[in-house]
Amino acid sequence: MVYNSMSITDNLPDGLTLVDASISENASGSLATDSGSASYQFDESWLADESHYDGREYTLTIQARVNEGESGDITNTAQSAITTRGGKGSKAEDSATIHEKLFKVTHEFVSGTPGKELPEELKNRTPSDQTDKKDGEEVTPGSFDETEYKVDGGTWKFKSWDADSKTIDKADEHFTGTWVFEEDTYKVTHEFVSGTEGKELPEELKNRTPSDQTDKKDGEEVTPGSFDETEYKVDGGTWKFKSWDADSKTIDKADEHFTGTWVFVEDPKEETYKVTHEFVSGTPGKELPEELKNRTPSDQTGKKDGEEVTPGSFDKTEYKVEGGTWKFKSWDADSKTIDGADVHFVGTWIFIPDTEVVKTGDSSNRTLWSMMMLISAAVIFISLRRKRKI
């Protein structure tokens, strides 16, 4: 038994649109399709050949897409398969589930600084796309690791997304993240040093440098900061500010540093004078012994102009030598006044020979001797007067 005609037809339910259709086995026929149906018509010549009736099953396979906004279960009734044995074929009911359409969330990074293009590497660091988002679902931007990106001359810093959240409305969503470029900034520091060899700058003065200057940009000209006092008094003198190592400098991709030099000026020293002493002989023909010459009082120092000075003191005013005694007579002056020069005192000693020293027993003998000398003098005086009268 052969058939004069045979076809397989499938009408798509509402909510589906035909994409493609094909027959499962090699056969001779024609396939007709439109947006809602597919039909395969076997050729009469192919059907007339009894060798094709071998029990094979011929299935019409279709591909369809879900129409936008459709969801739920749809029952598809169609004459979908036919066998070369079994008469005119059979009807079958197929159930198909139309799945809800899903959407995705994408991201983009842009520059928020006029005239500055965002680096490609940073553009490619957007969060991964988010998929399987449903219509009406609230979505937020994806996360990423670093919010700062260092480049030559500055840093890109993430500012914000165009929205904290969005809602899927039958379409994919897109978030735009904005980065701003901040130029590198630098600072200017200061230091004080001593310009006087052998003199260390006091710590208190080192700590009086001007405050650091911040937020300086590359290529910017900078000058040293200001400070209050250029002189600093210390014991023995004054530190005076001399100069900075430069009047100005230009930032060149690095911090700048100014060094200020101070010099130490000693206090003027008031001129002082000294008082010296000398011993000399007051006895003609007698040289003062060297040992006695060396017994002068010590020099007096630190005497100021206009100051009245007196001779220094010494221990002994008599000095025994062979054949007599040196006795201190006097200084050349009891006092003198400093008058823009050192002062010198001269002390005179006289020599008394031993022969001029009267040796007696006790004090009563000395008295008797004195009385005898007076009587003798009186006798001589009277005799002289008598001779004049004669």
Side-chain angles (χ1 to χ4, degrees):
M1 178 182 176
V2 295
Y3 296 100
N4 293 325
S5 65
M6 183 185 298
S7 65
I8 303 174
T9 301
D10 196 346
N11 295 314
L12 300 180
D14 293 339
L16 295 179
T17 298
L18 182 70
V19 175
D20 192 18
S22 61
I23 195 71
S24 62
E25 294 290 340
N26 291 328
S28 178
S30 59
L31 179 64
T33 62
D34 59 29
S35 62
S37 65
S39 178
Y40 187 80
Q41 180 68 46
F42 291 90
D43 291 340
E44 291 183 8
S45 59
W46 187 87
L47 290 173
D49 187 349
E50 292 184 5
S51 65
H52 294 150
Y53 295 81
D54 54 4
R56 295 182 189 181
E57 183 177 87
Y58 293 86
T59 302
L60 179 63
T61 302
I62 63 173
Q63 293 180 353
R65 61 177 171 80
V66 179
N67 296 339
E68 185 175 341
E70 296 293 342
S71 64
D73 293 337
I74 296 176
T75 299
N76 177 21
T77 301
Q79 184 175 338
S80 58
I82 192 167
T83 305
T84 54
R85 292 178 181 175
K88 296 180 179 180
S90 60
K91 289 184 178 180
E93 289 189 358
D94 296 330
S95 295
T97 299
I98 301 175
H99 295 285
E100 183 176 8
K101 185 175 182 179
L102 301 178
F103 304 93
K104 67 179 178 179
V105 177
T106 56
H107 309 79
E108 179 188 11
F109 284 157
V110 298
S111 168
T113 301
K116 276 288 187 181
E117 180 69 18
L118 201 65
E120 285 299 321
E121 184 176 349
L122 193 51
K123 290 180 181 180
N124 296 330
R125 290 190 177 188
T126 55
S128 300
D129 292 345
Q130 304 173 50
T131 58
D132 299 331
K133 300 298 180 181
K134 297 179 181 180
D135 187 49
E137 183 177 350
E138 185 179 37
V139 291
T140 57
S143 61
F144 55 101
D145 293 336
E146 298 177 2
T147 57
E148 294 189 3
Y149 182 67
K150 185 73 178 72
V151 295
D152 184 34
T155 301
W156 286 96
K157 293 185 178 182
F158 183 76
K159 182 181 179 182
S160 63
W161 292 104
D162 57 338
D164 294 331
S165 65
K166 297 182 181 182
T167 300
I168 300 293
D169 184 18
K170 296 183 176 62
D172 295 334
E173 266 302 347
H174 184 74
F175 286 99
T176 300
T178 300
W179 293 71
V180 292
F181 182 74
E182 293 185 4
E183 288 187 51
D184 285 338
T185 58
Y186 304 92
K187 65 180 179 179
V188 177
T189 55
H190 309 78
E191 178 188 11
F192 283 158
V193 298
S194 168
T196 301
E197 186 175 357
K199 275 289 189 180
E200 179 70 18
L201 202 66
E203 285 298 321
E204 185 176 348
L205 191 52
K206 289 180 181 180
N207 296 330
R208 290 190 175 188
T209 54
S211 300
D212 292 346
Q213 304 173 48
T214 57
D215 298 326
K216 300 300 180 181
K217 296 181 180 180
D218 186 49
E220 183 176 350
E221 185 179 34
V222 293
T223 57
S226 60
F227 56 100
D228 295 335
E229 299 177 2
T230 57
E231 295 191 1
Y232 181 68
K233 185 73 178 73
V234 295
D235 185 32
T238 302
W239 285 97
K240 295 186 177 183
F241 184 75
K242 181 181 178 183
S243 64
W244 291 104
D245 57 338
D247 293 331
S248 65
K249 297 183 181 182
T250 301
I251 299 293
D252 186 17
K253 296 183 174 63
D255 296 334
E256 268 301 347
H257 184 75
F258 286 99
T259 301
T261 300
W262 294 71
V263 292
F264 183 74
V265 180
E266 292 186 5
D267 288 338
K269 291 183 179 179
E270 185 178 3
E271 191 170 3
T272 59
Y273 304 91
K274 66 181 178 179
V275 176
T276 58
H277 308 79
E278 180 186 8
F279 285 157
V280 298
S281 169
T283 300
K286 281 298 246 184
E287 180 70 18
L288 200 66
E290 285 298 321
E291 184 176 349
L292 191 53
K293 289 181 180 179
N294 296 330
R295 289 192 176 187
T296 55
S298 299
D299 291 345
Q300 303 172 48
T301 59
K303 301 301 179 179
K304 298 179 181 180
D305 191 45
E307 184 176 349
E308 185 179 30
V309 293
T310 57
S313 61
F314 56 101
D315 295 336
K316 297 178 180 180
T317 58
E318 292 188 5
Y319 182 67
K320 185 71 178 70
V321 294
E322 184 179 359
T325 301
W326 286 96
K327 291 187 177 183
F328 183 76
K329 179 182 179 183
S330 65
W331 292 104
D332 59 338
D334 292 333
S335 66
K336 296 183 181 183
T337 300
I338 301 292
D339 185 17
D342 296 334
V343 164
H344 186 70
F345 285 100
V346 178
T348 301
W349 293 71
I350 56 174
F351 182 75
I352 300 175
D354 287 342
T355 55
E356 295 182 11
V357 177
V358 179
K359 294 183 180 180
T360 61
D362 53 23
S363 59
S364 60
N365 290 334
R366 288 196 297 272
T367 303
L368 180 60
W369 179 258
S370 298
M371 291 177 65
M372 290 175 66
M373 291 288 289
L374 289 172
I375 293 171
S376 297
V379 171
I380 294 170
F381 179 75
I382 292 170
S383 297
L384 290 173
R385 288 180 61 87
R386 285 178 178 176
K387 287 180 179 180
R388 288 179 182 174
K389 287 181 179 180
I390 293 174

